[in-house]
């Protein structure tokens, strides 16, 4: 069974993230969306809310699991017995950063990273921008997956 983790802060989970998961499902049997807990990041949504929103979005898909973690990403991958890490790339800067991390992860744990380039129409979408729009009470519906519930 081919199992991957898709790690990130996902604050919030955007249509770009959704696209990466959907595309990765074409060659993975299971994907664990791993929500990293990073005390140094100021998040808009608490970790429990992010887990709930993403879990609800994928509730009918048994190939998707949603978990949070508070350790190195490679340690999380090993805990859930994933052989791969899936990452989305929007820019050259993203690529350079992800390439370095992928090399380290392969050396430390033998885990391969699969980089998926963002679809051109989604390159402008980032959690940072969506968070800023939320802060100013703007409508973000076009930037999050259809069916994702932001409020209770």
């Amino acid at each position: 069974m081919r199992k991957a983790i898709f790690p990130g802060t996902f604050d919030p989970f955007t249509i770009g993230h959704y696209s990466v998961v959907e595309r990765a499902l074409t060659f993975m049997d299971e994907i664990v969306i791993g929500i990293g807990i990073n005390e140094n990041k100021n998040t808009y949504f608490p970790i429990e809310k992010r887990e709930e929103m993403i879990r609800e979005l994928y509730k009918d898909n048994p190939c998707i699991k949603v978990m949070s973690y508070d350790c190195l990403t490679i340690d999380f991958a090993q805990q859930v017995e994933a052989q791969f890490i899936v990452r989305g790339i929007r820019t050259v800067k993203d690529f350079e950063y992800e390439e370095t991390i992928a090399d380290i992860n392969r050396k430390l744990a033998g885990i391969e990273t699969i980089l998926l380039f963002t679809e051109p129409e989604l390159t402008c979408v980032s959690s940072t921008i969506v968070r800023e729009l939320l802060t100013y009470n703007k409508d973000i519906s076009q930037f999050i997956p259809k069916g994702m519930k932001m409020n209770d």
Side-chain angles (χ1 to χ4, degrees):
M1 182 167 103
R2 293 173 313 241
K3 186 175 189 178
I5 62 166
F6 179 42
T9 308
F10 305 119
D11 185 39
F13 193 81
T14 69
I15 55 175
H17 298 130
Y18 184 81
S19 171
V20 168
V21 170
E22 292 302 304
R23 290 166 54 212
L25 280 173
T26 65
F27 55 85
M28 288 292 155
D29 299 307
E30 183 177 310
I31 298 174
V32 178
I33 298 173
I35 306 170
I37 299 170
N38 184 341
E39 301 299 330
N40 298 323
K41 278 194 173 182
N42 291 325
T43 57
Y44 187 88
F45 293 103
I47 188 74
E48 300 81 13
K49 180 65 176 171
R50 286 179 273 151
E51 271 190 82
E52 174 190 320
M53 289 187 296
I54 300 168
R55 193 171 284 125
E56 178 67 20
L57 182 65
Y58 288 104
K59 69 181 180 206
D60 296 326
N61 190 333
C63 298
I64 303 289
K65 308 280 186 276
V66 181
M67 302 170 70
S68 60
Y69 68 97
D70 189 11
C71 58
L72 287 174
T73 299
I74 55 169
D75 292 338
F76 177 65
Q78 290 175 322
Q79 287 170 18
V80 300
E81 300 178 342
Q83 305 93 349
F84 305 96
I85 297 171
V86 172
R87 298 291 292 159
I89 300 293
R90 290 182 305 129
T91 65
V92 170
K93 185 178 173 185
D94 286 351
F95 176 80
E96 290 172 347
Y97 173 78
E98 293 297 341
E99 180 185 29
T100 301
I101 300 300
D103 289 344
I104 295 294
N105 289 342
R106 193 181 329 80
K107 285 182 189 335
L108 290 177
I111 294 174
E112 289 292 342
T113 300
I114 298 168
L115 303 176
L116 294 178
F117 291 92
T118 302
E119 295 168 277
E121 66 273 14
L122 300 179
T123 57
C124 67
V125 179
S126 73
S127 290
T128 303
I129 291 171
V130 175
R131 261 194 319 276
E132 186 169 357
L133 293 172
L134 279 169
T135 301
Y136 290 99
N137 297 314
K138 297 295 181 187
D139 178 16
I140 62 159
S141 59
Q142 65 182 311
F143 305 115
I144 61 171
K146 288 185 183 3
M148 190 164 91
K149 297 176 182 150
M150 300 294 287
N151 301 320
D152 293 331

